[in-house]
Each structure stands twice: as structure tokens, then as C-alpha cells.
Amino acid sequence: MASPPLTSPARTTLQLAGLHCAACGGLIERALRGVEGVSDCRVNAAAQSANILWDPARTALDRLVQAVRRAGYDAAPATPAAARELRRRESRSALWGLFVAVFCMMQVMMLAAPHYVARPGELAPDLKQLLDWAAWVLTLPVMWWSAAPFFRGAWRGLRARSIGMDLPVALGLAVAFVASTGAAFQPTGPFGREVYFDSLTMFVSFLLAGRWLQMRLRHRAAEVLESGLAALPATAFRLRPDGGIDTVPLAALQPGDCLQVAAGASFPADGVILQGHTQADEALLSGESRPLDKPAGAAVLAASLNLGAPVLMRVDRCGADTHLERIVGLMHEALAQRPPVALAADRWATPFLAGVLLLAAGAAAAWSVVDPPRALWVAVSVLVVTCPCALSLAAPSAYIAAAQALARRGVLLRQPAVLDVLARIDTVFLDKTGTLTGERPTLAAVARIAPSVHREDELLARAASLARWSTHPLSQALAAAVPAAPQGPSWREVAEQAGLGLSARDDAGLEWRLGSARWLGIDDGAADPAAGPRLWFGPAGRPLLRLDLDEQLRPDAAAAVDALHQAGLQTVLLSGDTPARARRLAEALHLQRALGGADPARKLDELRAAQSAGRCVAMVGDGINDAPVLAQADVAFAMGHAALAARSAAGAVLVDGNLKGIAAAHHLALRTRRVVRQNFAWAALYNAASIPLALAGALPPWAAGLGMALSSLAVIGNSLRLAR
Amino acid sequence: MDILYLLVPMSALLVLGLIGLFGWALQTGQFDELDREGQRILDIDQASGRPAAEE
């Protein structure tokens, strides 16, 4: 991938921290748009990332990060190393807030218990005072540490003149704390004698528990995504100047370090081989499935596998600068797009929150006429109970959980929105070569067609040794099928005629040929059109051996097609191969239709025809060859390695040709749609039922807090079912 | 019952102390990766302190 010239706008993804709702996303978008040189900015609150289009000539990445920090959030460039560090910071602070809240809540509950169990007059006034004071002391840490995110969020919103989800919560907490404090220290004062420290701490704990669960879900999804790509070793073996070897963690590596890499281990960093000669498997990074030769001086990539021999390497780039980390970054960016359902929910958040504040103020005003002492508590209940957390979590939590579950099953989604379309598909188009069958043909049968002095296995070994001179797929298949003999014949004057075959002279000067029937000088007109490709081998004009090659079905192809049929999907085979061969394969797999002899343009026509007939089509193909067809399909699955997800036109990638992933993804998409609907229904029902109760004063603050927290937990719990 | 006037403040102080203890444990990274601690016992290479390549 060529990097764009510096004068053109750059697109960068920042990993954000500290967001709790869609409204926060709006604040960050506004802050970033205010930076000179930023032309566009989209924040995804669910994935906590910002996608920014900016002009490198007019501003710098630092300024963007500072703008986010000034708005009161944290940001780091979305490289995995930075994202991991951000995740660690975020998880520590969330755990701290949650622990303080829950631990103090338990103690405050103990201290509050006498209020509930004592009969009137049983609790001495000074003992009640003492218990209230103790509860107040234990509520302080909760307000100071655990509730701080809500106050910060509300303050940020106010400064930017917008209403965030934190504002009603912060307002409710502040009013309850101030009123309870007044009641605890001056029972005869204006706030009455009732204290609500127990409701307060419980509300904070449940709210934080919901956010903590959501954060864990997000972090897990990010981790699964990263590990789906490739695994770096946990430690590296670094050579000391005196020749000794230190075991060091990857984070301690620096460019210029000299490392020892064992055979079978993966390279810990990008660099150059100093000593030794090996082969490396870079399949996960480049999609190239053959081992690459790596002599001394060759460049190696982090996370590629060292197959051949132990080598010494020099580190050139490590940590966030490696090729691997850039690919992971692209994957993060891909997942950062917001699903349409969540966009709709975001639009409604602000008017809804404004309505909540008005309702709370109205309720307080009305109750201050009817029953002044209760006015404050009714307002607190309304503020707390209407927090639309459940509503805002309904869609994103389900999508993230589903994406995580699919990543574990070998299906990487390019964007969560793919799930929306996936739930609607009714037809699956499958490509043949490279999708249902392996990428390379295999040797199926060998036939001797003329008598000769050589034994058949001798001839086969001879053919294979000649085939090793060529990179043609059929030659490679033949070479792979026969183990290399220790002393093969020595060929001279090896020549390759494109489209025909190979020719070479043996020690005796006889010319041997390997290739098509025409190359060997015979007529193969009667060949079965459903048969696979054939090779002929023998001295020129006198073929001795016929080699039948055939494509091999992937082991899970039949089961995967069955699963698609069971899900009620139609299957169509598209192949560039002859119609007879396509039909034969379709019959073997019970595919419902087969279209053979189709070039990419014909495949595209077929796809468009199905789409104009009102069908929603998923296309499964080879990531690179079928790019135009994949781009036209409603959902595209590319076979291949995870790195392709960031590059190909496909919406999803089946890692390592895992065909069963298609049916699994469809099934999960249907479940996700169901779960999102359940979540929305539940959240809407909860708000619709609880607001009238709170307005009527029938909901004490503790019940409001419990209800709100439980509704969020219910939504997250429901979504979590998808992650399994 | 008078003992409560001593015990209640003491329990409040104890709770604050425990919160401080947890904060220390958190800051030293003891809760960062709970899974890895469980798996460490199975990790031969690290336990022996020797690179696997030299064996």
C-alpha cells in the first residue's frame, strides 16, 4: 500500500477513552472539527474511536490529541501498542471506581440497616446521628472517586453547551448527596431527617458495574481481534555485547538490538537477518502462503514464522512501528464504523435527555406545591430512573459481542454493519477454485500409456524432477505430489513454452517433454470435458505417462453447504471452469445451481440479475481474484488471511478458508438482530413504565437507582449471550 | 451499647484502610491480567528462566 503524499488529506483513527454515551461522541466531534485543518470527523462511541480526515500541512497529530484532551477525554493514535496501554489505564481506573463504590456500598448498607429494622423510638437519636455520620464518611470516597466520571462528563457537556447522559445522573447524585449531608449534620434543618446514602452508593455501584461490563466486552473484542491476526512471542532473546543471551520482554526491545530467533518461533520485530539462512512463513501478514527464502541480509517481519533454522536478526522497527501493528490498526479502524441502528439511537439521545431534565424540574415544581418535603426526592428519582443508558447500549453492545464471537470462530468482520445485511441474505454465491476447493490442484491419477524400459515410479520421479524447474501451478502440484529424489536426473537445456509445457535433455541427450497433449505431439480430442487438467510426459512425440490432476474439495465444504441449506439459503456455484466440471462439483456438494464457464464479467451479470430480482446476495470468493464480484454483492466473504480484511472489498474474511463460518455468521446475524430488538423493546418499556411511577412519587430513590441499573445490566447481559 | 460508639468509627476507618490497600494492589498491576497468573504455572520456558532454543 502506497502512503498518500503529504499534501493530500490524511485519514487517521484515534483510540479514545472516557466516553460513556453517544452525546460524548458529539462533544469530541465538535472539539476536533474546531481544530484548524480538520475537514471531517466521525466518532464511534461504541468502539471508542474517532476517524478524522485532516490536512497534515496545516496541523499535526499532536494537536488533534490535545484537542480531545482539552475536551476532557483521553486519546491515543490507534496503533495496537498505544491502544493496549490505553486499555490498561482505562481498565485500572474503572476497576478502582467500581471497587470503591461496591465496597463502600456494602458498609453503608450495614450502617443503614438499623433505620429500616428499628421500631419508632427504639433507635437513640445520638446513635442514629453516629450511624449517619459514619455513612457520610463512607460515602465520601464514592463521591470523590467513583462518581467523579459522572461529574466530569456532566461538566464537559455543560461547557460545550450540550446535554450528555451524565448530566441527569450527576444532577441526581449531587442533589441526593447535598440533601442527605444536610439531613445528617442538621436533622432539624431544611432537608429533614431522612438520609439516602445507601441509595446513593448503590446507584453509583450498579451504574459503574454496567459500565465496567461494557468496557470488558469492548476490551475483549479488541483483544480477540488482535490475537486473530498473529501472535507475537511474549519474550525475545537478546544478545549481549559479551555474547550472552538475555530474555527480555518485547516492550524492552529497541531498534539496533541483536536477537536470536529459534526455528519454529515467530520473529519478535521487523528487521534484517544478520547470520544464518532460513525460510519464513509470512502468510498471516501478506497472504503469501509459500515459505519465503530468507538469506542473511533479507528483511523479516514481526509475527512471521521462522521455519528453517535458528538465525540472528537485527531489530529495525519494533512495537507500534511494525508492519503487523499497522495491519492491526487498520482492522481497528474497520471495526470503528458505527452501525446504522446506533446512529438512529444517537440522534434521539439529546432531545430525550432534554425532556428528562424538563420533566424532573416540572415534577419538583408540582410536588413543592403538593408536598414540599418530597419534591426533592421525586426530582432525584426522575433524574435517576430515566437515564437512557439501556437505550444507548441496546445496539452497540450486541454488535460488539457478535463481532467478538465471530472472530473467535474464524470470521473477521470488516464493519459491524455487515451483520445487519447478513441477517437479510437469502442467496449465497460460491466461487469454485480457491473457495470450495483448495487453491492448488493435486495429483489424482497416473496412467502409463506406452511400454518403456522405465518403471512407473521412476518415470514419475523423473517427471517431478523436471516439473521442479517450473513455477506453473500444474508443475508445482506435480512436484509437491512426489518427494524429491536424492539423486534426480540432471537436466540440460531446460526450456519452458508458455501454455504448452517444459522441455529438457537428459544425460544421454534425449529430449523429454512435460506438458499438454499438443506439446507431446498427440491428439487428446476425446478427453472427458468433466475431467480435470492433464499433463503428459515422455520423450518428444512419444508420451509414456499421463498425469491426471484434480482439484481437491476443502474438507469442510460439504458440511458448510449443508449448513447453508439448513438455514434456508439458496446456493449457486459460480466458476470460470468448464460447465461440465462445475456441474459435477455442484452435484457432489448438492448445490442448487451451477454456472460454469463464467468470466468475472459474467459472474457480475449473474449477481446483478439476482439482485434485481429482489434477492439479497452473499458472495463467497477469493479475496483478490473476485474483487469486482465481491464488491457488487450485498455481503462479501473473502477466503484468506486476516490481513486481507483490511484491504479487500469484502465485508468479512473467513480466516484460513473456514467455510463453516458463513452459516455461523448468518445464524449469529439473525440472533444479533433478535437481541437488538429485544434490547430496544426492553429499554423502551422500562423507560415508559418507570417515568410515570417516578413522577407520581411512587418510586423512592433507591428503587429508581436499582431499576435503572438493572435495566442496563439486563441489556448488556442479553447482548453477552451473543459473545458465547 | 456504648461500645458501638467506639466500634462504628473504627469499622469506618478500617474500611478506608482496606480501600487504600486495594488501591496499592491495583496500582502495582496485580489486576491487569488475571488470566495470565493462572497460566504461568504451565509455562515451562519462563519458569526455568532459560530460552527454549537452548534446550
Side-chain angles (χ1 to χ4, degrees):
Chain A
M1 275 167 290
S3 62
L6 274 181
T7 46
S8 75
R11 195 169 270 289
T12 300
T13 303
L14 289 182
Q15 189 68 40
L16 305 170
L19 279 80
H20 295 298
C21 61
C24 300
L27 291 184
I28 295 181
E29 277 180 8
R30 208 175 303 167
L32 282 169
R33 289 219 177 98
V35 178
E36 194 197 311
V38 172
S39 42
D40 190 26
C41 168
R42 292 251 166 280
V43 171
N44 179 352
Q48 307 239 329
S49 64
N51 196 311
I52 310 157
L53 193 67
W54 56 291
D55 184 358
R58 286 166 60 202
T59 186
L61 198 56
D62 279 3
R63 303 252 295 275
L64 300 179
V65 172
Q66 275 163 22
V68 176
R69 295 223 169 109
R70 263 201 311 279
Y73 301 87
D74 202 356
T79 59
R84 271 193 290 274
E85 179 54 32
L86 203 60
R87 278 211 298 270
R88 202 174 57 91
R89 274 211 305 269
E90 201 186 0
S91 118
R92 272 191 193 179
S93 82
L95 195 60
W96 170 245
L98 180 64
F99 176 83
V100 170
V102 172
F103 199 57
C104 290
M105 172 192 75
M106 296 192 292
Q107 309 308 319
V108 173
M109 289 286 173
M110 298 285 246
L111 296 171
H115 292 303
Y116 295 107
V117 296
R119 278 188 291 275
E122 215 173 35
L123 196 61
D126 50 352
L127 190 60
K128 178 187 180 313
Q129 195 92 38
L130 179 74
L131 291 174
D132 287 351
W133 287 351
W136 179 81
V137 166
L138 293 177
T139 308
L140 272 185
V142 178
M143 294 301 282
W144 183 252
W145 282 304
S146 306
F150 305 115
F151 290 117
R152 272 204 301 271
W155 175 238
R156 282 192 300 246
L158 283 180
R159 246 184 0 180
R161 291 194 191 78
S162 99
I163 302 170
M165 203 172 294
D166 287 333
L167 187 61
V169 173
L171 218 54
L173 289 178
V175 169
F177 184 68
V178 169
S180 296
T181 306
F185 287 97
Q186 207 184 357
T188 53
F191 295 112
R193 302 172 46 83
E194 288 299 302
V195 295
Y196 283 95
F197 293 121
D198 50 344
S199 306
L200 196 72
T201 48
M202 185 183 68
F203 176 52
V204 174
S205 321
F206 277 107
L207 209 57
L208 286 179
R211 288 189 175 182
W212 186 75
L213 270 180
Q214 190 200 359
M215 182 204 74
R216 288 271 299 174
L217 184 64
R218 213 177 57 236
H219 287 185
R220 274 284 158 85
E223 279 160 18
V224 168
L225 202 67
E226 280 165 19
S227 65
L229 269 172
L232 284 171
T235 53
F237 305 123
R238 184 163 68 188
L239 240 62
R240 284 198 303 263
D242 63 12
I245 290 180
D246 288 329
T247 308
V248 294
L250 286 199
L253 289 183
Q254 280 171 352
D257 281 350
C258 186
L259 306 180
Q260 188 185 29
V261 183
S266 49
F267 291 101
D270 287 4
V272 171
I273 297 209
L274 292 177
Q275 241 181 63
H277 186 154
T278 185
Q279 291 82 42
D281 179 359
E282 293 180 355
L284 280 166
L285 298 159
S286 66
E288 169 63 59
S289 54
R290 266 178 314 171
L292 301 174
D293 198 41
K294 299 284 180 188
V300 290
L301 297 175
S304 64
L305 264 177
N306 178 14
L307 297 175
V311 289
L312 285 184
M313 71 173 285
R314 188 188 68 224
V315 177
D316 284 344
R317 289 182 304 273
C318 51
D321 302 327
T322 59
H323 187 69
L324 167 75
E325 302 277 284
R326 277 206 301 278
I327 291 178
V328 179
L330 281 173
M331 297 277 305
H332 277 287
E333 194 176 325
L335 204 70
Q337 285 151 19
R338 234 186 305 194
V341 193
L343 282 174
D346 293 354
R347 254 202 316 279
W348 290 102
T350 307
F352 180 83
L353 289 168
V356 164
L357 293 180
L358 284 177
L359 269 182
W367 277 93
S368 62
V369 177
V370 182
D371 186 6
R374 285 179 69 188
L376 209 56
W377 297 114
V378 170
V380 168
S381 288
V382 172
L383 286 174
V384 165
V385 86
T386 49
C387 174
C389 301
L391 215 51
S392 72
L393 286 174
S397 60
Y399 282 104
I400 290 180
Q404 180 198 343
L406 281 178
R408 253 207 327 254
R409 292 188 188 124
V411 184
L412 293 176
L413 297 183
R414 188 166 154 75
Q415 344 151 345
V418 168
L419 285 167
D420 269 352
V421 194
L422 203 51
R424 291 203 312 268
I425 58 166
D426 48 19
T427 310
V428 181
F429 280 39
L430 296 139
D431 176 49
K432 184 169 75 74
T433 313
T435 303
L436 289 175
T437 65
E439 278 152 46
R440 276 159 235 268
T442 49
L443 186 62
V446 182
R448 223 162 135 169
I449 52 174
S452 82
V453 292
H454 302 287
R455 289 208 321 270
E456 188 181 300
D457 56 338
E458 255 175 41
L459 278 172
L460 192 60
R462 203 170 249 258
S465 76
L466 182 56
R468 273 181 241 285
W469 287 85
S470 163
T471 55
H472 190 278
L474 294 184
S475 305
Q476 297 257 313
L478 177 55
V482 182
Q487 294 156 319
S490 51
W491 296 107
R492 288 179 293 123
E493 295 172 41
V494 180
E496 184 165 359
Q497 290 291 315
L500 289 173
L502 286 159
S503 68
R505 290 183 188 282
D506 64 5
D507 297 330
L510 183 64
E511 188 188 346
W512 291 73
R513 286 187 173 189
L514 171 71
S516 65
R518 196 146 67 83
W519 182 236
L520 271 289
I522 56 160
D523 183 26
D524 190 29
D528 174 11
R534 272 178 181 171
L535 285 176
W536 306 76
F537 178 68
R542 196 159 52 83
L544 297 176
L545 213 55
R546 192 187 73 209
L547 304 149
D548 288 335
L549 291 117
D550 207 352
E551 290 171 319
Q552 193 139 45
L553 276 179
R554 283 187 196 272
D556 58 349
V561 171
D562 276 352
L564 289 178
H565 288 157
Q566 267 167 26
L569 300 172
Q570 269 199 15
T571 50
V572 180
L573 177 72
L574 291 182
S575 172
D577 217 333
T578 61
R581 284 177 57 71
R583 241 190 335 268
R584 204 184 65 177
L585 189 93
E587 274 161 21
L589 288 177
H590 311 293
L591 289 166
Q592 283 153 348
R593 245 185 77 208
L595 181 78
D599 57 358
R602 177 94 176 70
K603 288 182 184 176
L604 204 56
D605 286 345
E606 187 71 17
L607 196 77
R608 289 209 177 110
Q611 280 174 333
S612 55
R615 301 199 150 269
C616 189
V617 181
M619 168 82 199
V620 190
D622 207 310
I624 299 145
N625 308 345
D626 297 317
V629 195
L630 289 177
Q632 173 69 31
D634 295 289
V635 186
F637 289 92
M639 308 291 290
H641 296 291
L644 279 174
R647 293 190 219 152
S648 70
V653 166
L654 301 171
V655 179
D656 297 328
N658 164 23
L659 282 171
K660 281 186 199 135
I662 309 166
H666 177 248
H667 179 66
L668 200 69
L670 290 176
R671 276 181 62 203
T672 306
R673 190 166 68 174
R674 217 159 42 227
V675 164
V676 168
R677 282 180 187 162
Q678 285 164 1
N679 283 353
F680 271 122
W682 165 251
L685 192 74
Y686 158 76
N687 274 330
S690 58
I691 293 176
L693 282 178
L695 285 176
L699 219 54
W702 65 266
L706 194 65
M708 196 249 45
L710 287 182
S711 77
S712 292
L713 289 179
V715 162
I716 292 177
N718 197 23
S719 298
L720 273 175
R721 293 191 302 138
L722 292 169
R724 252 185 272 128
Chain B
M1 290 291 268
D2 285 350
I3 192 67
L4 279 178
Y5 293 93
L6 178 66
L7 287 180
V8 169
M10 262 178 64
S11 73
L13 286 179
L14 187 67
V15 165
L16 293 182
L18 287 174
I19 288 176
L21 194 69
F22 177 81
W24 168 80
L26 190 72
Q27 285 311 311
T28 50
Q30 297 193 21
F31 296 92
D32 282 353
E33 274 182 87
L34 294 174
D35 293 344
R36 189 199 282 178
E37 291 309 302
Q39 287 160 5
R40 208 169 57 176
I41 191 167
L42 302 171
D43 201 342
I44 298 164
D45 293 350
Q46 295 213 341
S48 68
R50 236 168 232 272
E54 289 184 345
E55 285 169 3

